[in-house]
Amino acid sequence: MKNSIVAAVVAASMGIATAAQAEITVGFITSQSGPGSSIGVLYDRGMKAAIEYASSVGAEKVKLIQLDDGSDPSTATRNARKLVEESKVDLLIGTSTAASTSAMVPIANELKVPMIAISPISVAANEAGDRWAIVMPQPPTLMVKAVVDRMKRDGVKQFAYIGFSDAWGDLVYNGAQKPAEADGLKILTNERYARTDTSVTGQVLKMMAAKPDAVLLGGAATQGALPPLALAERGYKGPLYGTPALLNTDFIRVGGKSVEGVQVSAGPVIVAEQLPDTHFSKKISMDFRAAYQKANGMPTSDGFSAYSFDAWLVFLDAAKRAMATGAKPGTPEFRVALKNAIFSTKDLVGTHAIYNYKPSDSYGVDERSLVMVRLVNGQWKYEP
Amino acid sequence: MNGEIAAILAMDGIASGAIYVLIGLGLVLIFAVTRVIFVPFGDIAAFTALTLASLETGGRPGTVGLVAVLAVLATAVEATALARNRAFDRLPRALLFYLVLPLIPAVAVWFAAGTTLSMPIRIVLSLALVLPIAPLLDRIVFRPIADASVLLLLTVAVALHFALSGLGLMFFGPEGVRTKPLTDAVFDVAGLIVNGQMLLILAASIVFCGLLFLYFEFTIQGKALRATAVNRVGARLVGIRPTSTGTIAYLLASLLAGISGVLIAPVTTIFYDSGFLLGLKAFVGAIIGAMVSYPVTALGAVMVGLLESFTSFWLSAYKEVLVFSLLIPVLLWRSLSFGGSEEEEAEE
């Protein structure tokens, strides 16, 4: 296990820390090892960029304690507990797999610490009806809705669906049903395949026989390219649509020519450079890119690191208002004040979205958090 | 469904069935000779694909490290066993077989990494690299417990699969790979589009089935393997060493796994843990062949491929369920019509 205290730590030593000058402590958990680390490392770099961007609330410096969860939900919960009980953090941020993130939420509820989830999970209120966690990423239903609305605009009347035979495939299919009905689109097929499948010929034949105007892809990453490859092989020429799960270099590498022109919904930060200057995300995203370059010594174009950056922005904004209540960091009163402040976040501009949180809902983004992008010559191009 | 769709599905099913045939034959081969249900078989196929892919991108495949670790372990095990028997004169031979030979391809690949190799050389190198994995595992894990019950061997094999897939994650990383197609040829047969890759898979499957048949029928080694399969004790009495037949069986099976890995790599994306499901489906085929019959196993494997292909058309969400449900009627039929497998156990 790697314990690292990252950056921006105040020089004020524990010894002279008086009650009046208590610093705000944030506990950050991400996967720097294990299968979730490919995303976890991005979250880590995004956090480094966030601290590079701003590391204080008013005059108050913020202390960040970062722990690795090894992509393991039980380690994530253990670390969350340790951060709260031993390090007395005022806020938890984490982590890179949905399972681990979901596992952290009960700890936040139990120990009454506000938490910012940076993986897309659904959060239920605790027994008392309280919510302690908010979720940064766009909910899957919104990701799919943006795509279905775009299909309607493109004149698609009926489309075929093929997705993973797992929770993600279900999320995309179920998410597509409501907007499709509202937009008057017909879903012709609900075909499924497993990540380990070697062929989707059967499914593709059935889809082609239904004569769809377009195909919606409910896969992810590398294996998301399997249906487009099979479709191209069978001579399908129509448009392809997908979710942000396809924003992946392996998808482009494996799919090659067959995925050219695919349109997916994405957080605006993905195409920051191409956004018009009037777009809310343009300035903050460019600031984020610059901070990322400075903190990590490399450029970025992924969306994940931007979630931890946005989480930090939400925290800074809420912490400022929580400090104004007079509660001292490190105390239960401050945690409640911080939670209340987070859940009353209003029109906070981030790289992915304009965030508005209400006590009744853990999701705080709307349609503005998604733009459509198209794959042109292996590059994602903004499609307003 | 019309005739054309049925024909395409059948072709697709036979192609994936052909892969299962290769793996299924390997499973039966190892089981017949050593009584081990070699669960990590699919992993070896997946490792071949991953090796080929990383050679293709000019990287240094994780298999090098894997083979090196296994070779050192196996040599240590063998040397300890020899030292305990005071058979020091056999030490050089052991070093040659367990350390030097497996490491030759590993060293070759180590130095070749980064240079662009032609496709056939890449394939040969990947096969050579993967070939020692199963025999080395046999030496480390299975030979010390060679006389244990089938159930214990199976349990160990399952554990070994988990160990291997963990090592796979460590050596190959979590990303999936897909190699360039071996051939881009496309044929038009009576209005149906048949791609060359599919034909290659079929051809390879048929050729290796034929070679296996010739090997078992016409060579002394093949006959020794068959003798061991029929009766270990009896084979020993007539001078066949079960350990060496075991090694040969593992080598042959490794080759089959390697070939199937090479064939499947361009067709689909392979992850470090993709092998298990391949092995499991081939295992269904092998069960149909009652783990003894090669031809029936081959037929069973093709049947699994066809079933998979047609269910993916009709009921794609339930494909896996249907394929594995096939086991239930097959096992029922097997246990009703061949009720006498207990006597075989008692013989040991």
Side-chain angles (χ1 to χ4, degrees), chain B residues 23-312:
Chain B
I23 300 179
L25 291 182
L27 280 172
V28 174
L29 176 62
I30 294 184
F31 180 74
V33 177
T34 66
R35 299 178 308 126
V36 175
I37 296 173
F38 197 61
V39 184
F41 203 88
D43 294 317
I44 294 179
F47 287 177
T48 319
L50 289 161
T51 308
L52 187 62
S54 79
L55 282 179
E56 193 175 283
T57 50
R60 187 167 289 155
T63 342
V64 175
L66 187 67
V67 171
V69 170
L70 290 178
V72 169
L73 270 178
T75 313
V77 172
E78 178 74 12
T80 326
L82 289 178
R84 201 173 287 156
N85 293 334
R86 312 224 161 263
F88 293 107
D89 52 321
R90 274 157 58 195
L91 207 55
R93 194 166 171 273
L95 279 180
L96 175 70
F97 278 106
Y98 289 106
L99 196 64
V100 179
L101 281 184
L103 282 182
I104 289 175
V107 170
V109 170
W110 181 267
F111 285 110
T115 54
T116 38
L117 305 161
S118 67
M119 180 90 86
I121 297 179
R122 285 202 300 263
I123 291 174
V124 170
L125 268 182
S126 316
L127 286 176
L129 200 51
V130 169
L131 218 48
I133 294 181
L136 289 174
L137 286 174
D138 169 49
R139 180 65 197 95
I140 301 167
V141 179
F142 291 112
R143 206 173 299 166
I145 51 167
D147 294 319
S149 68
V150 173
L151 185 63
L152 178 76
L153 292 172
L154 172 63
T155 315
V156 171
V158 171
L160 187 61
H161 153 71
F162 284 112
L164 264 193
S165 85
L167 286 174
L169 177 60
M170 198 169 96
F171 284 113
F172 296 103
E175 291 85 19
V177 298
R178 191 175 178 129
T179 61
K180 291 194 194 90
L182 298 174
T183 163
D184 286 324
V186 173
F187 304 96
D188 196 328
V189 181
L192 285 178
I193 304 159
V194 182
N195 65 33
Q197 184 68 31
M198 209 180 260
L199 291 179
L200 213 59
I201 291 176
L202 267 182
S205 193
I206 292 167
V207 165
F208 278 93
C209 288
L211 283 178
L212 265 186
F213 174 77
L214 293 177
Y215 177 72
F216 282 128
E217 288 297 316
F218 296 106
T219 66
I220 284 290
Q221 259 183 3
K223 285 177 181 163
L225 279 182
R226 273 171 60 203
T228 320
V230 172
N231 190 325
R232 275 169 78 82
V233 182
R236 217 165 169 169
L237 286 176
V238 296
I240 298 167
R241 288 179 44 194
T243 49
S244 66
T245 47
T247 307
I248 294 167
Y250 275 106
L251 264 179
L252 268 180
S254 263
L255 183 66
L256 288 174
I259 301 276
S260 50
V262 168
L263 289 172
I264 206 167
V267 184
T268 186
T269 312
I270 298 284
F271 296 84
Y272 72 95
D273 60 349
S274 297
F276 183 60
L277 216 55
L278 284 178
L280 213 54
K281 285 183 184 150
F283 183 63
V284 175
I287 291 287
I288 293 173
M291 299 298 290
V292 286
S293 164
Y294 295 101
V296 182
T297 296
L299 258 171
V302 172
M303 208 164 98
V304 170
L306 282 173
L307 184 70
E308 208 183 14
S309 166
F310 278 89
T311 48
S312 73

Side-chain angles (χ1 to χ4, degrees), chain A residues 35 38 190-192 194-199 201-203 205-206 209 222-223 226 229 233-234 250 253-254, chain B residues 5 8-9 12 169 175-176 178 195 264 267-269 271 273-274 277 309 312-314 316-317 319-320:
Chain A
S38 55
N190 178 14
E191 295 302 315
R192 299 304 178 88
R195 197 183 64 118
T196 45
D197 274 1
T198 51
S199 158
T201 307
Q203 291 93 322
L205 285 174
K206 191 163 177 193
T222 328
Q223 269 310 58
L226 192 57
L229 283 166
E233 200 175 297
R234 294 284 154 217
D250 288 324
R253 175 176 60 83
V254 170
Chain B
I5 288 180
I8 297 173
L9 286 176
D12 196 58
L169 177 60
E175 291 85 19
R178 191 175 178 129
N195 65 33
I264 206 167
V267 184
T268 186
T269 312
F271 296 84
D273 60 349
S274 297
L277 216 55
S309 166
S312 73
F313 181 82
W314 281 311
S316 58
K319 193 189 75 185
E320 244 61 310

Side-chain angles (χ1 to χ4, degrees), chain A residues 124-316:
Chain A
N126 67 6
E127 296 91 10
D130 279 352
R131 281 171 192 278
W132 285 89
I134 59 161
V135 181
M136 297 309 295
Q138 299 84 347
T141 45
L142 202 62
M143 295 176 177
V144 185
K145 185 177 182 304
V147 178
V148 174
D149 290 347
R150 176 55 57 104
M151 281 193 203
K152 181 184 160 67
R153 211 190 78 177
D154 289 350
V156 171
K157 294 274 183 293
Q158 47 186 18
F159 63 93
Y161 173 72
I162 180 163
F164 279 168
S165 53
D166 63 5
W168 179 247
D170 283 347
L171 273 175
V172 178
Y173 181 72
N174 296 338
Q177 272 175 324
K178 220 185 198 170
E181 202 175 315
D183 291 345
L185 268 68
K186 207 164 139 208
I187 308 180
L188 298 167
T189 63
N190 178 14
E191 295 302 315
R192 299 304 178 88
Y193 66 107
R195 197 183 64 118
T196 45
D197 274 1
T198 51
S199 158
V200 287
T201 307
Q203 291 93 322
V204 161
L205 285 174
K206 191 163 177 193
M207 288 157 67
M208 302 268 295
K211 303 222 181 316
D213 298 336
V215 170
L216 176 62
L217 304 169
T222 328
Q223 269 310 58
L226 192 57
L229 283 166
L231 281 164
E233 200 175 297
R234 294 284 154 217
Y236 175 78
K237 297 265 189 298
L240 298 167
Y241 293 87
T243 65
L246 301 180
L247 290 167
N248 179 295
T249 47
D250 288 324
F251 171 75
I252 302 173
R253 175 176 60 83
V254 170
K257 266 191 243 100
S258 70
V259 298
E260 185 74 14
V262 60
Q263 291 188 69
V264 307
S265 54
V269 65
I270 298 284
V271 286
E273 291 84 357
Q274 304 165 36
L275 292 172
D277 287 341
T278 50
H279 196 281
F280 74 86
S281 165
K282 174 85 175 186
K283 183 178 177 303
I284 187 77
S285 289
M286 295 316 286
D287 288 351
F288 161 63
R289 294 261 164 112
Y292 188 102
Q293 173 77 41
K294 203 166 162 208
N296 300 299
M298 61 177 93
T300 174
S301 59
D302 74 283
F304 295 106
S305 54
Y307 288 130
S308 39
F309 184 80
D310 280 5
W312 191 253
L313 295 182
V314 168
F315 154 69
L316 290 178

